[in-house]
Amino acid sequence: MDAQSFYTKLDTHFPPSPPSLFSPIPSLERARKRRRRADQSRAPTFMESLALLSAKPGLSHRAGPRLPLPRLRAARASLSPATSSRPTFLQSPLLASRVPSSHDAVVGYGLLKRRSSAGVSCSAAAAAAVPQPEAKKILGVGLPTLKKIVPLGLMFFCILFNYTILRDTKDVLVVTAKGSSAEIIPFLKTWVNLPMAIGFMLAYSKLSDVLSREALFYTVIFPFIAFFGLFGFVLYPLRDVIHPTALADKLLAALGPSFLGPVAILRIWSFCLFYVMAELWGSVVVSVLFWGFANQITTVDEAKEFYPLFGLGANIALIFSGRTVKYFSNMRKTMAPGVDGWEVSLKGMMGIVVLLGIIISSIYWGVNKLVLNDPSLPKSDHKKKKNKPKLSMKESMKVLVSSKYVRDLATLVVAYGISINLVEVTWKSKLKAQFPSPNEYSSFMGDFSTATGIATFTMMLLGRIIFQKFGWGVAAMITPTVLLVTGVGFFSLLLFGQPLTPMLATMGMTPLLAAVYVGALQNIFSKSAKYSLFDPCKEMAYIPMDGDMKLKGKAAIDVVCNPLGKSGGALIQQFLILIFGSLANSTPYLGGILLVIVLAWLGAARSLDKQFSSLAKEDLRKEMSAKEKAESTQLKEPEAATDVLVEQSNGTITSETTGTES
């Protein structure tokens, strides 16, 4: 568009007013025409001023002719490549002297600034300079983050509170039931718990394909809540009616006392179903539902800051729930004779489980409806994880055989699972002998859960110091050492406790009660060491492995070692019970097997410590060399002075850097 066309279009948008009393006199009209001709003669400079005014709409002419200009559209603040495609006469000689690039931006009227960073406009810089209102914070945490973390923490507390009650109650039911004992636990874990866990995960995977995330959560948790309420108020009061006691007596008489465990599963089938549902609450509601939901709605920064606090909160829930179990278990002391105190206690505890289950579901509903729809809430930025390689049993064994490092790590996982199982079941059999009443047994388990929570909380605080001061090797050997010392003391009291009877009597204890206390200490310290030291050591051991072996080694351990560790101790106990007739007769052999397994565990930990240290040093050396190489190849050059050119009103060009005129 030339100057004549521009003024023609200007007259079209702003036509001359009809003659009136206020019309300009002819002399002024002639002056206006002369001024227009003068402006047409200097059209490039005038149009350049219009272009600059378009780039910075907030600026206006302080001096010079005031023309009735049309309303112009706000232009971009930065000179884009499209700007250079305009006709040449729309650009001033200063702008036409060099081609504008993405490093240039119009800063003001008649001002051109060359910047070192590309792609940042002056409008964006101005917007960034404006202070934004900070989000409200409570205890140093932003309010939007607290809207997610506080409900999640409350959910986690309620879930683990329920889990502690259910875990203590399931042992009381199956161990103290008439016609049953602790010998039922190995058979129950292998032949009932494991198949139902596999079946549930298959059903869960199918439901996840057809249901939404919220519907899947409710579909999974409501059956748990309904079952525990139904058991406490219906199934347990009708236990004498629904249990096939006569059939179980006939089978036991035909098969012999060695089959007490398998027959007891049939005898008290509703108690066994409760045992399995309580175990599934820990693996399904805690691991799948809660952590799946938490990982979906939290960011990585939030997870790093608050997930460790969830672990500490779990142990606080363990302490309070242990006190709750003890309170309901002691209710029998205040009841009249003839009243089934355990039934009353069970109803009270199952009522709490149902109530907290409803609270968990309500919190989940509230977070989805009221919190996640908040646009100011930080969104989850979890990246999609790489799919882990799915290895068959044969491929997993090949990986284990091919690497000594993976074999030592697998030994740690299997040894822990077997050794804790061997001691725990034997201890529970002695616990029943000491506390045959369900209320007394449950009361002791409440104290046990409280002590476990306190010990784990303390060990989590000390774990960081142990890693920093003593290193990976010492931290990895603490758990097997605790198991070895306490296990030797426990089995020694069982096998050689009679000579110690006079000495124990002076302390008000019998060999059986001393064995119960030592076994309780063994379980408390081994579990607290497992949560605070063993699990972190195991995960740290994967870090220095190369990428392919890291994925395959972890998959092989998940396929072979985890199931073997969980069911290995149960299979050993089943084999010994069927051979020697009872768990008590198998005690010497269980102690010898435990000693062998823990010594192998210590040897594998020592071997893995040497390999881990060398790999970690090599990994650190590679990282340092790569960092030094990157620094040497990416040395920063001295930044050039900022090139700022200003076109003054008199046509001169001033450089802001040097302050000289040209």
Side-chain angles (χ1 to χ4, degrees), residues 306-387:
F306 294 103
Y307 277 13
L309 298 181
F310 287 168
L312 297 177
N315 294 285
I316 296 176
L318 197 64
I319 296 171
F320 282 98
S321 57
R323 294 294 86 197
T324 303
V325 170
K326 186 174 181 63
Y327 170 78
F328 280 102
S329 300
N330 291 335
M331 288 178 62
R332 182 187 178 186
K333 299 177 181 179
T334 62
M335 295 179 184
V339 178
D340 190 349
W342 174 239
E343 181 177 338
V344 176
S345 302
L346 186 63
K347 288 181 179 180
M349 289 187 288
M350 292 304 103
I352 291 179
V353 169
V354 172
L355 177 62
L356 292 182
I358 295 174
I359 293 175
I360 293 166
S361 303
S362 301
I363 294 174
Y364 181 83
W365 179 87
V367 170
N368 280 282
K369 299 300 181 184
L370 305 178
V371 177
L372 296 184
N373 294 329
D374 188 353
S376 65
L377 205 65
K379 302 301 180 183
S380 174
D381 54 358
H382 288 286
K383 296 181 180 179
K384 187 176 180 181
K385 294 182 179 180
K386 296 181 179 179
N387 293 327

Side-chain angles (χ1 to χ4, degrees), residues 97-149:
S97 62
R98 59 186 178 89
V99 179
S101 66
S102 60
H103 296 275
D104 299 331
V106 176
V107 178
Y109 178 53
L111 180 70
L112 184 69
K113 182 176 181 180
R114 182 166 183 86
R115 300 177 313 204
S116 58
S117 59
V120 181
S121 64
C122 291
S123 59
V130 178
Q132 299 294 332
E134 293 185 0
K136 186 177 180 181
K137 292 186 177 182
I138 299 177
L139 299 178
V141 182
L143 186 59
T145 299
L146 285 178
K147 289 181 180 179
K148 293 187 300 182
I149 298 303

Side-chain angles (χ1 to χ4, degrees), residues 186-187 190 414 417-419 421-422 564-580 583 586 589-594 597:
F187 297 94
T190 304
V414 175
I418 293 177
S419 54
N421 203 336
L422 290 178
L564 184 59
K566 292 178 180 179
S567 60
L571 292 173
I572 292 173
Q573 289 168 336
Q574 293 175 48
F575 179 74
L576 294 177
I577 289 172
L578 293 177
I579 291 178
F580 298 102
L583 195 61
S586 307
Y589 305 97
L590 290 174
I593 293 173
L594 176 66
I597 290 175

